[in-house]
Amino acid sequence: MVNAVEVDRLRVVRGGQTVINDLSCTVAASSVTGLLGPSGSGKSTLLRSIMGVQQTVSGRVVVLGEPAGTAALRARLGYVTQAPSVYGDLSVAENLAYFASLVGAPAARVREVMADVSLAEQAGERVDRLSGGQRARVSLATALLGSPELLVLDEPTVGLDPVLREDLWALFHRLAAGGTTLLVSSHVMNEADRCERLLLLRDGELLVEGTPASLRDRTGADDLDEAFLRLIRSVAA
């Protein structure tokens, strides 16, 4: 499979307003693709459309060879939203054991993912007593339990310290090397260099699709923040 995700002329209307307008893009299989853009650019809406949970959608979205939202895809996907979606009154280990039972993952897998996201020492702690960054990592761990073929992450590194952020990006690339496709959204352009390919959004439209190197070549800017700004200015001109 060359592309894990293919989006063709996607249009999303919410509250009477067009949030995404005629957007087409692809996500290469077994890669780390960054979905970048300022807040309100449509990143989360695009991710929900790929997961098949966004309403009022037109166009075509194909995920792992199936139409987005197909029931058969559920066991093949992992999705981490911006807001942690775990139980605050359970411990880290209890949360993971519960979600592991839903996807049929063995107990050993729980220990593996806790180690992967650096939460082994917090295994017995209640989730509502953890920091925001730690709760986000519990959500990531639950998404990893089923060894998904496509992992969709909405702002997964927000609120994390630089060391942990570095560790998570290293984990993302290990997963991609093992065959997992990752689509990672961020509004922080300095994370773009950690991605193999980039999708840059602004106001619900795709500004560019390509590698960090191709973005630099196109704009003549070494700094990716500056490259993004030059793209915006060229579109507005």
Side-chain angles (χ1 to χ4, degrees):
M1 183 186 302
V2 176
N3 294 318
V5 178
E6 296 181 351
V7 178
D8 183 36
R9 300 179 68 85
L10 174 67
R11 186 170 184 266
V12 179
V13 178
R14 189 168 62 238
Q17 294 187 331
T18 301
V19 181
I20 291 181
N21 185 33
D22 198 31
L23 188 150
S24 298
C25 65
T26 61
V27 177
S30 304
S31 71
V32 180
T33 296
L35 176 61
L36 292 110
S39 297
S41 61
K43 299 188 303 295
S44 294
T45 301
L46 176 57
L47 297 185
R48 288 195 297 269
S49 299
I50 290 171
M51 293 300 300
V53 297
Q54 178 63 53
Q55 296 181 344
T56 322
V57 171
S58 63
R60 185 177 69 97
V61 182
V62 176
V63 179
L64 302 177
E66 302 282 351
T70 301
L73 286 172
R74 292 172 189 164
R76 304 172 66 191
L77 307 180
Y79 183 33
V80 180
T81 60
Q82 290 186 40
S85 52
V86 289
Y87 296 100
D89 58 345
L90 298 179
S91 70
V92 173
E94 288 169 340
N95 265 284
L96 294 179
Y98 170 70
F99 285 104
S101 70
L102 296 182
V103 298
R109 184 64 181 151
V110 171
R111 294 190 293 272
E112 288 174 3
V113 297
M114 278 196 293
D116 284 340
V117 301
S118 303
L119 282 175
E121 294 183 0
Q122 288 78 32
E125 294 187 28
R126 280 176 50 136
V127 167
D128 58 6
R129 295 172 183 167
L130 300 176
S131 68
Q134 288 171 327
R135 288 196 297 272
R137 281 185 279 149
V138 179
S139 289
L140 173 58
T142 64
L144 292 173
L145 284 166
S147 302
E149 296 173 53
L150 171 65
L151 185 58
V152 175
L153 307 173
D154 197 353
E155 305 275 5
T157 61
V158 169
L160 302 186
D161 65 75
V163 174
L164 183 55
R165 190 180 299 120
E166 184 75 23
D167 289 344
L168 283 184
W169 278 104
L171 171 61
F172 298 160
H173 283 280
R174 289 199 303 272
L175 291 169
T180 303
T181 302
L182 292 96
L183 179 58
V184 184
S185 82
S186 177
H187 64 275
V188 182
M189 283 301 296
N190 65 13
E191 296 199 318
D193 261 329
R194 301 176 183 271
C195 303
E196 296 164 63
R197 294 188 61 79
L198 303 173
L199 304 172
L200 299 186
L201 266 61
R202 184 172 186 262
D203 296 333
E205 297 187 355
L206 184 67
L207 289 184
V208 68
E209 177 178 1
T211 64
S214 69
L215 178 57
R216 290 187 172 94
D217 290 342
R218 175 173 173 174
T219 61
D222 289 331
D223 179 79
L224 288 176
D225 270 318
E226 177 61 25
F228 187 52
L229 290 173
R230 290 185 186 183
L231 275 175
I232 293 173
R233 294 183 188 119
S234 67
V235 170

